[in-house]
Amino acid sequence: FLYPRNNNIAKIRTRIPEKTNLLLIAKANAYGLGVVDICKELNGQLDYIGVATMTEALEIRQANINTPILLLSEPMPAEWQQVTANDITITVYEKETIQEIDKYATKHNQTIKTHLKIDIGMTRLGTPWETSEQTIATWLASSDQIIKEGIYSHFANSDTSHELNNTQLERFSSDQIEGRVRLSGLGSRL
């Protein structure tokens, strides 16, 4: 298995801009392939590993894999200490959660790396794009304890050229979402 996966990563890298980060979605035990084995094989070739649960993130960390991990959902308050202890980047999308995590990080003098998820039509997780301005403002205004690493979304149908994909991309690229982040000064590093 090693050669084809490594070869695929190399091929993908030739097709994306040089400064583009590559994230491997490894949730559900890497879709049954074995998350630890896959992550060890690709260690050093990925910029991020995406997981759905804290249990998955901790399994990777316990295997001494140091690639940055993005938790694709908001962690529960009981998991915040594990987030900081294991250097896990989290997804945020609820204004109240951002405020509470900011209070926690400030109180404990810790930093928490975050990515903001915008729901542009998948209707699963994320702050709804129609009402995202307040959440974006809260995220951008949070303390320096909250490191703002990225902003992302999820296409509802990425397998085909679908009109909804174009609509979703327009929503994400709008002044309301991407434009607001770029104007904040963060856009150059996101």
Side-chain angles (χ1 to χ4, degrees):
F1 285 134
L2 180 60
Y3 174 74
R5 283 193 279 263
N6 286 333
N7 194 40
N8 287 344
I9 298 297
K11 284 182 181 179
I12 291 168
R13 291 257 185 224
T14 66
R15 297 182 144 197
I16 60 177
E18 192 174 318
K19 292 183 180 182
T20 302
N21 287 330
L22 188 58
L23 177 139
L24 170 74
I25 299 296
K27 63 183 186 174
N29 196 28
Y31 296 95
L33 297 173
V35 69
V36 170
D37 292 337
I38 295 290
C39 292
K40 280 184 177 181
E41 286 178 18
L42 299 175
N43 197 24
Q45 298 179 59
L46 303 168
D47 301 297
Y48 268 98
I49 300 165
V51 297
T53 68
M54 183 61 72
T55 301
E56 293 169 335
L58 294 175
E59 181 180 2
I60 293 167
R61 280 294 180 257
Q62 289 166 359
N64 294 317
I65 297 166
N66 295 321
T67 303
I69 296 172
L70 175 61
L71 181 62
L72 299 169
S73 59
E74 289 184 331
M76 301 298 294
E79 298 171 324
W80 295 348
Q81 190 278 328
Q82 291 177 317
V83 165
T84 58
N86 292 282
D87 194 26
I88 297 167
T89 303
I90 63 170
T91 294
V92 292
Y93 44 83
E94 296 288 343
K95 186 174 109 173
E96 295 77 15
T97 303
I98 295 167
Q99 293 168 332
E100 290 303 312
I101 289 172
D102 194 7
K103 287 179 193 173
Y104 172 87
T106 301
K107 177 181 178 181
H108 296 282
N109 195 30
Q110 297 183 345
T111 58
I112 298 178
K113 294 181 275 187
T114 62
H115 285 228
L116 180 65
K117 184 170 185 186
I118 309 289
D119 180 356
I120 55 173
M122 182 80 172
T123 63
R124 211 181 282 166
L125 296 175
T127 190
W129 71 274
E130 307 93 332
T131 58
S132 63
E133 288 186 42
Q134 284 188 336
T135 305
I136 292 169
T138 300
W139 183 62
L140 293 172
S142 62
S143 75
D144 290 341
Q145 305 298 117
I146 304 301
I147 300 171
K148 298 136 193 98
E149 284 192 343
I151 182 170
Y152 76 100
S153 192
H154 189 300
F155 285 113
N157 184 359
S158 61
D159 294 342
T160 61
S161 178
H162 196 272
E163 186 58 34
L164 180 56
N165 292 346
N166 294 332
T167 300
Q168 289 179 301
L169 187 57
E170 287 173 15
R171 290 172 181 167
F172 191 80
S173 302
S174 71
D175 287 341
Q176 177 182 341
I177 298 172
E178 189 178 22
R180 185 175 184 120
V181 172
R182 290 199 184 285
L183 284 174
S184 74
L186 291 175
S188 62
R189 61 184 183 95
L190 298 181

